[in-house]
Amino acid sequence: MSTPAHRPQPRFDRGHTDDLMAYLGASPSPYHAVANAAARLEKAGFRQVAETDAWDAAAGGRYVVRGGALIAWYVPEGAGAHTPFRIVGAHTDSPNLRVKPLPDTGAHGWRQVAVEIYGGALLNTWLDRDLGLSGRITLRDGSTRLVTVDRPLLRVPQLAVHLDRSVNTDGLKLDRQRHMQPVWGLGEAHEGDLISFVADELDVDAADIVGWDLMPHPVEPPAYLGRDRELVAGPRMDNLLSVHAATAALASAVTTTGKDLPYIPVLAAFDHEENGSQSDTGADGPLLGTVLERSVLARGGTFEDRSRAFAGTVCLSSDTGHAVHPNYAERHDPTHQPRANGGPILKVNVNMRYATDGSGRAVFAEVCERAGVPWQAFVSHNAMPCGTTIGPITAARHGITTVDIGVAILSMHSARELCGADDPFHLANALTAFLEG
C-alpha cells in the first residue's frame, strides 16, 4: 500500500458514493447505464453526435452512443491534430440472466420466463431474490425504448432443504438449464405473454415490438452496510462503479480545466466485457479506434498525426478487482492483499492478463500522489488462474500504453457485491487527476 506524501484537497468525497448508489439503482441494464452517463455529460456541456454524420473540428465535448457502449471526449481549444488522448476505459455489462428469444415457458401450473446465463454469474446469488425486468425493446420503425420494471416480478426459487438434505454438506449443485428459470405467475404459459406485459408497461402495441434485449435485475436498492456505514452493498459494481467514477471525473476535468487541458480526455465505456468483448460495442471491436481516428481527421490530421497521437496516448483501464477475503485468505497472494477503503488497486500479471508494466506503475503512482489518494497493488496467487479485462485488448488492438486499475471488492459476479464506501471517491479523484494531465 502506498500513501501520498501530501494530500491535496480532494475533488470528490462521500457525496460521490451517495451518487454512485443512486446511479447503480437507476442503471439496471447496460442501456440504462449509458443513458444515465450521457445525461450527466450533457449537464457538463457535452453533446451527442451521430456516427453517420460528418464531424467538425470545433472545441468542446462530444459523445457517441451505440447500444450499451458510450465513447465521450473533449477537444480543448487549440488542440492539434496530433494531440494525444488520455483514456479511461470501463465496461457497462455485468454477469446476469438474459431473456431468451422465446421467453414464455412453464411447467406444472407455474408460468416461467426462459433465460440464458450471461457471463460468469455467481448463480446461487440469484436464487430466492426478488427480481424486476429491464433492458430495451426495438420497435418496428427501428427506434428503441428503455424498459424498467423496478418492482418484484420474477423469482428463481431454490429447492427446499427437506428435498435436498445434502445441500449443506455436499454443496449446492445447479444445472444452468433446469434450475435457473424464474417463475412469474400461475397458470399455463402462452406465447407472447411476456412481450404483451412489457408493451402494456410502455403503453405501446405489442405487435410493434420486433426485438428485445431484456434481463432480470435485483430490486433491492444499494445500501450502506456495517456498524460505521463504511461499506456499500449493491448490484452491478462490476463495473458500473468504474463507469460512474469515470463519468464524474471527465465532467469535473472539463468543467474545472476545460480549454487548458494538455490532452484530449476520453471516456470509453464498453459492453460485453463479461463474455469476451468481441462485439461491435465491445473493447475488441473497432468503436474506440474509429472514434479516435475520426477525431484526428476532423481536426485536419493525417495518418502521421494519428500515429503521433496514439504513440503519446495512455489508457487507464478501470475494472473491479479482488479485496482479500477474511474467510478465504489462502486464495490470495500472501504479500498482495488489497483491503477495502485502502484506495484503488494497480493490477499486475506478467503473462499480460493485465496490461500494466513498470512504466504504467509509474504513471498510476504519480496520478494517485497528485490526487492525494492511497493505492494498492494486486497480483493473483500463483496457484490461481488470473482473470482479465479490457486493458490487454485495448493495448493490443490500438497500440496504446494501458494500465489496469480498479477498486477492490468482495462477492465479485454476485447479484449483490460489496466495496468500501471510500474507495469509489478515491478512484474518482485519481481518474480526475489523470484526465487533467
Side-chain angles (χ1 to χ4, degrees):
M1 181 185 297
S2 175
T3 302
H6 58 88
R7 291 186 176 274
Q9 185 66 33
R11 195 77 55 86
F12 298 103
D13 54 21
R14 186 62 74 89
H16 175 87
T17 305
D18 294 338
D19 190 61
L20 167 65
M21 294 165 67
Y23 180 74
L24 292 174
S27 304
S29 79
Y31 314 107
H32 291 78
V34 163
N36 290 324
R40 290 161 184 254
L41 292 173
E42 291 271 358
K43 291 181 180 179
F46 285 72
R47 60 182 176 88
Q48 185 173 3
V49 294
E51 293 183 78
T52 54
D53 291 344
W55 294 357
D56 60 41
R62 301 169 179 79
Y63 68 90
V64 165
V65 170
R66 184 191 291 184
L70 178 147
I71 310 292
W73 67 103
Y74 182 89
V75 179
E77 292 182 11
H82 59 275
T83 299
F85 301 93
R86 283 275 173 124
I87 305 169
V88 177
H91 67 88
T92 62
D93 60 318
S94 303
N96 63 0
L97 312 179
R98 301 287 177 103
V99 174
K100 290 183 175 180
L102 299 176
D104 301 296
T105 186
H108 307 290
W110 293 95
R111 296 169 67 191
Q112 295 176 273
V113 174
V115 298
E116 190 174 3
I117 311 301
Y118 178 85
L122 198 57
L123 295 181
N124 65 294
T125 67
W126 289 83
L127 303 179
D128 297 334
R129 193 180 291 274
D130 295 339
L131 305 172
L133 188 71
S134 58
R136 68 175 181 178
I137 60 167
T138 303
L139 300 175
R140 195 171 299 279
D141 63 4
S143 63
T144 60
R145 293 275 299 275
L146 292 179
V147 176
T148 312
V149 183
D150 199 28
R151 63 178 186 274
L153 180 68
L154 307 113
R155 182 183 177 95
V156 183
Q158 187 172 186
L159 186 65
V161 66
H162 312 78
L163 303 179
D164 186 7
R165 297 284 184 178
S166 64
V167 66
N168 290 325
T169 55
D170 297 341
L172 178 64
K173 298 179 177 61
L174 293 171
D175 183 288
R176 293 162 66 91
Q177 177 65 30
R178 293 185 295 121
H179 298 154
M180 296 304 298
Q181 309 307 312
V183 300
W184 75 307
L186 300 173
E188 299 300 317
H190 299 285
E191 184 177 352
D193 278 354
L194 182 67
I195 299 307
S196 292
F197 167 80
V198 171
D200 290 342
E201 289 287 313
L202 297 179
D203 195 24
V204 300
D205 191 332
D208 286 336
I209 300 178
V210 294
W212 52 87
D213 302 280
L214 299 172
M215 56 205 74
H217 68 271
V219 298
E220 183 182 3
Y224 284 107
L225 184 145
R227 186 194 67 177
D228 300 319
R229 292 164 55 89
E230 57 195 337
L231 301 169
V232 172
R236 300 176 294 279
M237 291 186 183
D238 180 11
N239 186 33
L240 294 190
L241 188 158
S242 294
V243 175
H244 174 261
T247 303
L250 179 58
S252 178
V254 303
T255 301
T256 304
T257 310
K259 63 182 180 180
D260 296 323
L261 287 167
Y263 302 97
I264 296 174
V266 180
L267 162 61
F270 300 103
D271 201 352
H272 301 132
E273 187 274 346
E274 298 292 356
N275 60 11
S277 295
Q278 292 186 323
S279 71
D280 70 318
T281 54
D284 205 18
L287 181 59
L288 175 61
T290 298
V291 168
L292 298 184
E293 289 176 4
R294 289 186 67 179
S295 175
V296 170
L297 295 174
R299 284 174 279 122
T302 63
F303 180 79
E304 179 74 8
D305 293 313
R306 178 262 189 213
S307 298
R308 292 175 65 190
F310 276 41
T313 292
V314 180
C315 173
L316 291 189
S317 163
S318 183
D319 200 353
T320 54
H322 302 294
V324 62
H325 198 301
N327 298 337
Y328 301 90
E330 72 281 359
R331 303 294 183 98
H332 301 266
D333 184 86
T335 59
H336 297 78
Q337 300 193 338
R339 301 193 176 192
N341 287 335
I345 57 174
L346 177 74
K347 300 179 180 181
V348 178
N349 179 262
V350 295
N351 294 303
M352 302 313 293
R353 300 289 286 174
Y354 301 128
T356 307
D357 62 10
S359 296
R361 176 190 173 99
V363 169
F364 186 62
E366 188 275 333
V367 162
C368 288
E369 181 174 358
R370 187 151 40 86
V373 302
W375 62 276
Q376 311 174 78
F378 170 85
V379 296
S380 291
H381 190 293
N382 283 338
M384 297 284 171
C386 180
T388 190
T389 181
I390 63 171
I393 295 171
T394 302
R397 183 171 183 84
H398 307 293
I400 289 172
T401 299
T402 304
V403 187
D404 276 302
I405 66 166
V407 163
I409 68 172
L410 292 183
S411 306
M412 186 183 294
H413 287 197
S414 169
R416 195 169 177 86
E417 297 162 324
L418 185 70
C419 78
D422 295 345
D423 284 331
F425 66 79
H426 284 324
L427 176 64
N429 284 322
L431 295 182
T432 302
F434 170 72
L435 292 177
E436 289 180 346

